[in-house]
Amino acid sequence: SCGRVKSAVMNAHCRIGVRRAGRIHTLSEHSKADIVRHYGVRPERIDVVYLAVDHAVFHPAADAESLQA
């Protein structure tokens, strides 16, 4: 089916990208383990970069008026 073909193409592209990349960034240890298991990448090539927010810059609005600006 078309879905299987698209999946196979995507998997081939990912394998090529993983082989060519010097480093790989992912969002969690779980994703890192998946990449290691599925693509055979050495764990030392993968960096986990957690999502974060700078609370000094981004914070809840103090009042309703500032939300409408």
Side-chain angles (χ1 to χ4, degrees), residues 9-69:
V9 169
M10 178 61 86
N11 192 31
H13 281 275
C14 287
R15 286 190 184 283
I16 291 167
V18 163
R19 260 198 321 265
R20 296 177 79 183
R23 305 281 308 168
I24 299 168
H25 295 166
T26 188
L27 303 177
S28 71
E29 291 291 338
H30 183 79
S31 295
K32 178 178 178 175
D34 287 345
I35 294 166
V36 169
R37 184 179 69 254
H38 190 70
Y39 296 109
V41 177
R42 291 186 330 273
E44 302 82 38
R45 288 183 52 213
I46 304 173
D47 298 312
V48 176
V49 182
Y50 298 103
L51 298 176
V53 172
D54 183 348
H55 291 283
V57 176
F58 300 101
H59 49 81
D63 56 34
E65 285 183 23
S66 63
L67 292 175
Q68 296 177 14

